[in-house]
Amino acid sequence: MTHFDAIQKGAQQMGADLSDTTIQTLVDYLAMFQKWNKAYNLTAIRDVDQMISLHLLDSLATLPFITGDDIIDVGTGPGLPGMVLAICLPEKRFTLLDSNGKKTRFLTQVKMELGIKNVTVANERVEKHAHQGHYDHVISRAFASLQDMINWTLPLPKETGNFLAMKGVYPNEELTGLPSGVEVIHIEPLTVPTIQAERHMVIMARKG
């Protein structure tokens, strides 16, 4: 199966309606990711089929939650899920933030080579990020804990905005340590074809 077919099939199984052009851009992103990964070690995953399922399709599982227009992906790494979402949702605006210069250089290159206009790359620590109260969604895929994520990103969403944290197993223990100013709105199990492990989306918002 070609990379194009694998992404197309996975997206269809998840109910994501992607055009051929979008899928081709995801294939091009994957090729760049692979190439840079050999030199800069952006992810421990080397196998391209695993990259498709554990990175690309896993990121696509967050699409239904992106209802607003301004999104920041905190600790985006090589653009997961932020760059994947930006490719699929060209009408929305994405800020991809990471303090690791290798990763943000890769993202800047992706942006240039693939002509992705709706992405701003921010190479900085999240607590230094200037656009407070600006975002509809603050999303994070591999952040340490829910508590840390909220503590670092608390000022970033608009009043109507939310926090979207991708997690593996249901994060019972982490939920008990959430800061008092934030509440859990919903926890949605995610089904990612080709991934057997549990995945959950934790949706949180500021109280009041």
Side-chain angles (χ1 to χ4, degrees):
M1 194 188 291
T2 65
H3 299 158
F4 185 98
D5 292 339
I7 294 170
Q8 185 175 49
K9 186 181 168 201
Q12 281 167 347
Q13 284 175 309
M14 287 191 288
D17 185 20
L18 304 180
S19 70
D20 286 0
T21 314
T22 298
I23 295 168
Q24 187 54 53
T25 307
L26 290 170
V27 171
D28 296 341
Y29 163 71
L30 183 71
M32 287 185 70
F33 192 175
Q34 261 191 298
K35 189 175 105 181
W36 275 64
N37 201 36
K38 289 189 179 91
Y40 297 103
N41 198 21
L42 302 174
T43 170
I45 295 167
R46 292 277 180 258
D47 176 71
V48 71
D49 294 326
Q50 281 202 307
M51 279 177 133
I52 289 173
S53 58
L54 295 175
H55 285 333
L56 280 189
L57 298 181
D58 195 49
S59 294
L60 286 177
T62 64
L63 271 171
F65 302 93
I66 308 298
T67 51
D69 294 322
D70 275 296
I71 302 97
I72 184 167
D73 178 13
V74 174
T76 186
L80 305 164
M83 186 60 85
V84 175
L85 291 171
I87 290 168
C88 297
L89 300 167
E91 72 288 354
K92 297 180 187 287
R93 293 176 294 279
F94 290 85
T95 299
L96 274 46
L97 182 141
D98 205 285
S99 58
N100 181 314
K102 279 191 305 196
K103 291 173 181 171
T104 53
R105 277 198 295 282
F106 165 67
L107 293 172
T108 302
Q109 196 62 32
V110 169
K111 193 181 145 167
M112 279 180 4
E113 276 190 40
L114 304 184
I116 296 166
K117 306 273 192 279
N118 58 331
V119 160
T120 303
V121 178
N123 176 212
E124 60 191 3
R125 295 178 65 88
V126 63
E127 63 273 26
K128 299 275 191 285
H129 188 64
H131 299 286
Q132 303 195 346
H134 178 78
Y135 297 99
D136 295 304
H137 307 294
V138 176
I139 193 165
S140 189
R141 182 167 169 269
F143 219 80
S145 68
L146 293 177
Q147 194 174 359
D148 285 348
M149 176 190 172
I150 295 298
N151 285 335
W152 292 122
T153 67
L154 192 61
L156 297 180
K158 294 175 178 166
E159 277 182 23
T160 53
N162 64 12
F163 302 91
L164 301 171
M166 288 187 83
K167 285 286 171 189
V169 296
Y170 193 95
N172 277 315
E173 238 169 77
E174 289 182 29
L175 292 168
T176 58
L178 275 184
S180 58
V182 167
E183 58 191 340
V184 174
I185 306 296
H186 186 54
I187 301 181
E188 177 88 26
L190 301 176
T191 309
V192 184
T194 70
I195 298 184
Q196 297 310 311
E198 274 188 58
R199 309 293 283 126
H200 288 87
M201 175 65 90
V202 183
I203 305 162
M204 299 163 286
R206 283 201 217 104
K207 285 180 183 166

